């Protein structure tokens, strides 16, 4: 091997690692909007209720949220390349199961398997980038590329679904994920550089422990139980009643498991999530912003897809073209955001993005069935621009807030909060939409001239199976009046959801303003570090990360 080859190979390996990380997050997020805009077609084909339909999305996001931190630890211990490959395989297998689904239960199973694969991909892709690019100044650019790949998946999903549903059955929306994941597996095998967490347990430096991270089974089990039980309780409570026995039991189990998780992590020598990371105001802020923002964003996609399908009566391609505006605008805003991260504070970008998102959501509350494409388009573009300003700095700040050998833990935790919000979004907003729509339906039916026994039957059907179930009824000559009343009721529910989503964005903005403040000692500390770097030429990576996040180090780690 000559000197030239030796010099080139690390650069080539790094480039391959970054490309595969971006491809991995693309595969992980592709099913979200692809399925979201296909929900009306799935509901018609499988004759599902609104509650069953919300589980199509949640069956994917729930295992994603429950096992994402576990996947991060497995990558740290056994090698991120192995977990990356396993994630791609699960995504391909889950898509294949959903592709062959003949009933809603089989579709749930395929979605759940794909969600497990995505849980493996998200923390490992970010950890691979952090390992390949240890310099936080340079890393921000590549994390921006990672975020753009995620947004690109959200962008192309509606278009893919629209083209397919115009010509084929809804199930073929899953076809692309299978070869894409398998090809990525084949390409990654020889090219991807593996990495682990070699610096000992999170509570001690490598010099002190001399060992690697260990699997934290109590933490992994209690975290999975807590997330699953809490999200299940919220979903079923919204669909049925929060006083139902199964809902109370699920929520109680979730709270107990959450307490057990905190106790287990405090006692563990190698915790899955070292709770000391929350001493970092920057990490805490990004976790809260991720949770709140994705609760509103994913819930918003669910609600808006129903609006386009049931109120404006658009086909999937037309609905997808409209939803496409949000992620495309986010990419346009997110690309320069990654490059500006070290010139403009994360606090300013995240807060500005969330305020733009809240304003656009409030502006959407005055749309109705006759609102034109142009009138909706500018609101969706503003929403996308706001999200683009949030996504890249939120992710980069979370990773930079801890020593970079804990990048896997930080990225997994941030993604876990993001996916818990994503799982709760359709559940919470879907429940609000259904409740408000059904409550307002009798009044709209009366206004449309539909009264008496028929009105009572329609309302009872809507309460039992959701608004979509009414469309399957024999409505006779009053069909147009009933459909108009259904559309007006859905608009009432949608407006409530938009207001709630806007309030959530404002709460997230408040968290960013309060918690992302630069510490007073930052300037003097940064100057001291700069002088030390000039003298020794080898800055401490964890100190750099803390400086980049605008916060003191949460764990006090030092590499030996």
């Amino acid at each position: 091997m000559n000197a030239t080859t030796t010099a080139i190979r690390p650069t080539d390996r790094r480039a391959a690692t970054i490309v595969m990380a971006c491809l991995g997050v693309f595969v992980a997020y592709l099913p979200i909007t692809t399925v979201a805009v296909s929900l009306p077609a799935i509901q018609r084909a499988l004759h599902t209720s609104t509650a069953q339909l919300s589980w199509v999305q949640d069956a994917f996001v729930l295992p994603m949220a429950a096992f994402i931190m576990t996947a991060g630890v497995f990558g740290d211990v056994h090698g991120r390349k192995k977990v990356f490959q396993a994630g791609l395989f699960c995504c391909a297998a889950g898509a294949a199961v959903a592709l062959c689904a003949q009933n809603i239960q089989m579709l749930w199973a395929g979605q759940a398997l794909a969600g497990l694969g995505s849980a493996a991909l998200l923390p490992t892709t970010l950890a691979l980038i952090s390992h390949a690019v240890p310099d936080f100044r340079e890393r921000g650019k590549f994390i921006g590329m990672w975020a753009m790949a995620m947004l690109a998946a959200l962008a192309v999903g509606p278009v893919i679904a629209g083209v397919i549903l115009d010509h084929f059955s809804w199930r073929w929306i899953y076809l692309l994920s299978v070869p894409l994941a398998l090809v990525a597996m084949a390409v990654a095998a020889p090219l991807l550089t593996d990495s682990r967490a070699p610096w000992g347990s999170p509570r001690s430096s490598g010099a002190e422990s001399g060992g690697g991270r260990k699997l934290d089974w109590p933490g992994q089990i209690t975290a999975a139980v807590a997330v699953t039980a809490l999200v299940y309780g919220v979903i079923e409570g919204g669909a049925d009643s929060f006083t139902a026995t199964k809902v109370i039991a699920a929520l109680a189990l979730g709270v107990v498991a959450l307490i057990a998780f905190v106790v287990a992590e405090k006692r563990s020598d190698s915790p899955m999530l070292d709770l000391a990371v929350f001493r970092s105001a920057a990490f805490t802020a990004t976790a809260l912003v991720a949770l709140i923002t994705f609760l509103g964003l994913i819930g918003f996609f669910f609600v808006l897809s129903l609006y386009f399908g049931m109120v404006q009566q658009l086909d999937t391609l037309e609905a997808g073209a409209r939803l496409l505006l949000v992620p495309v605008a986010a990419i346009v805003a997110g690309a320069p955001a990654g490059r500006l991260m070290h010139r403009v504070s994360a606090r300013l970008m995240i807060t500005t993005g969330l305020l733009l998102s809240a304003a656009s959501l409030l502006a959407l509350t005055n749309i109705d069935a006759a609102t034109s494409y142009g009138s909706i388009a500018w609101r969706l573009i503003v929403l996308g621009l706001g999200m683009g300003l949030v996504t890249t700095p939120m992710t980069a700040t979370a990773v930079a807030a801890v020593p970079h050998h804990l990048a896997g833990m930080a990225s997994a935790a941030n993604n876990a909060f993001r996916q818990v919000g994503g799982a709760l979004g359709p559940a919470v907003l879907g429940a609000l939409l259904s409740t408000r729509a059904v409550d307002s339906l009798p009044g709209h039916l009366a206004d449309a001239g539909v009264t008496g026994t028929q009105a009572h039957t329609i309302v009872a059907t809507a309460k039992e199976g959701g608004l979509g179930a009414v469309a399957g009824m024999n409505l006779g000559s009053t069909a147009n009046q009933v459909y108009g009343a259904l559309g007006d009721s859905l608009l009432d529910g949608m407006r409530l959801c938009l207001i709630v989503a806007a309030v959530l964005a404002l709460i997230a903005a408040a968290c960013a303003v309060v918690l992302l403040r630069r510490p007073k000692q930052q300037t003097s500390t940064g100057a001291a570090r700069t002088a030390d770097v000039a003298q020794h030429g080898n800055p401490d990576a964890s100190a750099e990360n803390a400086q980049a996040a605008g916060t003191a180090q949460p764990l006090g780690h030092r590499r030996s």
Side-chain angles (χ1 to χ4, degrees):
M1 183 181 296
N2 58 39
T4 303
T5 304
T6 303
I8 292 174
R9 177 167 291 178
T11 303
D12 293 342
R13 288 284 186 177
R14 187 178 79 163
T17 299
I18 292 166
V19 169
M20 296 313 301
C22 291
L23 183 57
V25 75
F26 183 90
V27 171
Y29 266 82
L30 184 60
I32 292 179
T33 49
T34 305
V35 175
V37 298
S38 305
L39 291 176
I42 293 173
Q43 186 173 40
R44 290 190 297 269
L46 299 181
H47 309 291
T48 66
S49 67
T50 302
Q52 289 177 318
L53 196 65
S54 69
W55 268 109
V56 174
Q57 286 280 76
D58 287 315
F60 175 83
V61 181
L62 183 54
M64 203 177 183
F67 295 103
I68 197 167
M69 286 193 292
T70 299
V73 176
F74 266 83
D76 289 345
V77 174
H78 297 294
R80 288 149 186 164
K81 180 177 178 179
K82 295 183 182 69
V83 177
F84 178 83
Q85 295 282 63
L88 289 171
F89 177 78
C90 286
C91 285
V97 171
L99 180 63
C100 301
Q102 299 299 317
N103 53 57
I104 192 65
Q105 290 78 16
M106 191 172 177
L107 180 59
W108 290 343
Q111 286 280 92
L113 186 55
L116 283 174
S118 297
L121 289 173
L122 290 175
T124 52
T125 50
L126 268 178
L128 285 167
I129 290 176
S130 295
H131 176 79
V133 190
D135 183 357
F136 79 90
R137 298 177 186 87
E138 190 179 11
R139 190 193 311 148
K141 176 178 66 177
F142 295 113
I143 289 180
M145 293 171 60
W146 179 92
M148 292 308 99
M150 178 184 74
L151 292 171
L154 296 177
V156 302
V159 177
I160 292 171
V163 172
I164 289 174
L165 291 177
D166 270 0
H167 301 90
F168 307 101
S169 167
W170 63 268
R171 68 185 70 255
W172 294 104
I173 64 174
Y174 291 98
L175 179 61
L176 179 61
S177 294
V178 179
L180 192 61
L182 293 178
V183 169
M185 284 181 65
V187 173
L191 294 180
L192 191 63
T193 300
D194 202 1
S195 65
R196 302 186 185 192
W199 281 282
S201 75
R203 296 202 192 281
S204 60
S205 68
E208 294 167 346
S209 69
R213 289 192 70 186
K214 299 177 182 178
L215 295 177
D216 173 28
W217 288 111
Q220 291 161 41
I221 293 171
T222 52
V225 171
V227 172
T228 303
L230 290 173
V231 174
Y232 174 83
V234 171
I235 293 172
E236 291 301 311
D240 186 4
S241 169
F242 281 97
T243 59
T245 302
K246 64 179 180 180
V247 173
I248 294 174
L251 295 177
L253 175 61
V255 171
V256 171
L258 185 60
I259 295 171
F261 171 74
V262 172
V263 173
E265 298 307 273
K266 284 185 174 181
R267 292 182 177 180
S268 176
D269 291 331
S270 182
M272 177 174 65
L273 176 61
D274 192 334
L275 300 180
V277 297
F278 290 100
R279 295 175 190 166
S280 164
F283 182 86
T284 302
T286 56
L288 290 173
V289 169
L291 174 68
I292 297 169
T293 302
F294 268 67
L295 193 159
L297 178 64
I298 302 301
F300 164 80
F301 272 109
F302 177 79
V303 169
L304 201 64
S305 67
L306 294 180
Y307 163 77
F308 286 135
M310 296 180 65
V311 177
Q312 291 205 324
Q313 301 292 311
L314 301 177
D315 61 35
T316 307
L317 183 58
E318 292 174 319
R322 286 157 174 76
L323 287 173
L324 179 66
L325 294 172
V326 177
V328 166
I331 291 173
V332 171
R339 294 191 295 270
L340 291 173
M341 277 189 56
H342 302 298
R343 298 180 182 178
V344 180
S345 70
R347 178 191 184 194
L348 178 60
M349 280 197 288
I350 291 173
T351 303
T352 301
L354 290 168
L355 291 177
L356 283 174
S357 299
S360 65
L361 290 167
L362 291 174
L364 282 165
T365 57
N366 65 0
I367 64 175
D368 55 31
T371 302
S372 67
Y373 174 78
S375 183
I376 294 176
W378 73 262
R379 295 168 169 87
L380 297 181
I381 290 172
V382 172
L383 176 62
L385 293 174
M387 294 308 304
L389 290 176
V390 172
T391 304
T392 299
M394 176 179 68
T395 304
T397 301
V399 174
V402 301
H404 82 268
H405 63 276
L406 295 180
M409 175 191 289
S411 62
N414 187 262
N415 275 306
F417 278 101
R418 184 181 301 176
Q419 299 314 322
V420 168
L424 289 173
V428 173
L429 296 189
L432 288 174
L433 184 144
S434 295
T435 301
R436 179 73 181 98
V438 171
D439 287 345
S440 66
L441 182 57
H444 289 301
L445 287 172
D447 292 341
V450 180
T451 58
T453 303
Q454 185 183 25
H456 178 76
T457 303
I458 291 171
V459 173
T461 302
K463 287 182 178 179
E464 179 68 23
L467 297 179
V470 178
M473 297 176 60
N474 182 11
L475 300 172
S477 60
T478 62
N480 289 334
Q481 293 99 304
V482 172
Y483 290 147
L486 287 175
D488 291 337
S489 299
L490 190 68
L491 281 172
D492 288 341
M494 187 189 72
R495 291 186 182 108
L496 175 61
C497 291
L498 289 169
I499 292 171
V500 170
V503 170
L504 289 172
L506 292 174
I507 293 173
C511 292
V513 170
V514 173
L515 296 176
L516 285 178
R517 290 180 178 178
R518 189 179 299 274
K520 294 179 180 179
Q521 70 271 26
Q522 181 64 37
T523 302
S524 60
T525 304
R529 285 173 183 155
T530 303
D532 183 66
V533 171
Q535 180 179 357
H536 299 99
N538 186 23
D540 182 276
S542 61
E544 285 185 346
N545 284 348
Q547 184 179 352
T551 183
Q553 290 186 98
L555 305 181
H557 283 63
R558 291 291 187 273
R559 286 190 292 166
S560 58

